Amino acid sequence: AMVGTNAPDARPDYVSKYLANIHKLPKDVKDTVWEALQNSVPELVPIICTRATEFAAFVSCFQSVFDTLLPTSEVWVQVEQLYTLFGQALVSQAPYLSLTVFLTLFMPRYRDHFLAHRPNAEKYHSFLRMFHAFTNHDNTSFRLAVFRSLQDFLSTNDAGTPSEVMLQDPIQKSVPAVNPLRLSSNTAPFLLALAFLVDLETALPEEVVDLYLY
């Protein structure tokens, strides 16, 4: 019920209220709830691939978690794990769509955390771990698009505007034109993000290593 064209508009409120009180439940019940949510990922991915804007509904369901809770809380950790599983499944099927929906429908709300001179490290790292889950793919051209898109997101005033072309045509094989990697006076947030992301890599193709070094 979190996504889908027939889901009610009140669904984010219901999920938020439920998560706000989930700590009151016995551990075995909580474990069952989180397991059920994680098991729903294979059903959610095809919906997003068909109707990408439904990812906004998914994001809204858990917005209160990232707005009000600490990154070390049980609920945050479990929701991050849910996002990670979702991202891994989506990027394997539709990498450019995965990049687009996460960068335009999730990250803009938290952009200030990436631009802060001294960001909250735990929250910052959590957001980047989720970003990595939605963009970790072995295609070098795609990874270059990820780097370029992230740099644009952290450098331009209109970052985070959804690409209507991408959201309407999720099976296309390339992203809308993005700027080349560049050196400028405001690259510090981008370089800081890369310094953390490279530590999450497990198997780097030589071409991707070259991108990080560049």
Side-chain angles (χ1 to χ4, degrees), residues 6-31:
N6 295 322
D9 291 338
R11 58 197 163 178
D13 291 335
Y14 291 142
V15 175
S16 296
K17 290 177 182 178
Y18 185 83
L19 292 178
N21 293 282
I22 196 173
H23 65 279
K24 301 176 183 178
L25 298 175
K27 183 180 183 303
D28 60 330
V29 176
K30 289 189 292 185
D31 290 344

Side-chain angles (χ1 to χ4, degrees), residues 17-202:
K17 290 177 182 178
Y18 185 83
L19 292 178
N21 293 282
I22 196 173
H23 65 279
K24 301 176 183 178
L25 298 175
K27 183 180 183 303
D28 60 330
V29 176
K30 289 189 292 185
D31 290 344
T32 300
V33 170
W34 294 123
E35 182 180 1
L37 285 172
Q38 292 179 8
N39 290 340
S40 71
V41 168
E43 300 175 8
L44 296 177
V45 170
I47 295 175
I48 303 305
C49 288
T50 302
R51 184 178 173 84
T53 50
E54 278 297 308
F55 187 72
F58 177 84
V59 169
S60 296
C61 288
F62 303 101
Q63 194 167 278
S64 64
V65 172
F66 300 122
D67 287 352
T68 63
L69 299 183
L70 294 174
T72 53
S73 68
E74 178 187 5
V75 174
W76 181 303
V77 171
Q78 291 287 356
V79 173
E80 179 186 332
Q81 178 64 18
L82 177 63
Y83 266 83
T84 298
L85 294 174
F86 196 165
Q88 291 170 343
L90 184 59
V91 75
S92 67
Q93 294 190 31
Y96 289 106
L97 174 64
S98 184
L99 165 64
T100 300
V101 296
F102 194 78
L103 198 61
T104 61
L105 299 178
F106 177 86
M107 286 185 67
R109 184 178 183 87
Y110 309 105
R111 186 166 179 260
D112 288 346
H113 290 285
F114 294 94
L115 301 180
H117 179 61
R118 291 183 177 179
N120 178 305
E122 292 174 337
K123 183 174 290 190
Y124 178 86
H125 293 163
S126 175
F127 289 149
L128 281 179
R129 284 193 296 268
M130 288 184 281
F131 174 78
H132 184 260
F134 277 82
T135 59
N136 185 26
H137 196 279
D138 57 8
N139 182 279
T140 303
S141 297
F142 171 69
R143 296 301 293 276
L144 178 58
V146 170
F147 291 160
R148 288 171 170 170
S149 299
L150 180 61
Q151 185 177 28
D152 283 347
F153 173 79
L154 296 175
S155 303
T156 59
N157 293 329
D158 61 348
T161 301
S163 164
E164 294 299 330
V165 174
M166 176 62 71
L167 294 180
Q168 292 173 7
D169 184 15
I171 62 172
Q172 65 175 327
K173 297 299 187 292
S174 60
V175 293
V178 290
N179 294 328
L181 291 173
R182 61 199 181 280
L183 294 178
S184 65
S185 59
N186 59 344
T187 55
F190 172 60
L191 295 178
L192 183 62
L194 285 189
F196 180 80
L197 289 171
V198 71
D199 196 47
L200 298 178
E201 304 286 359
T202 55

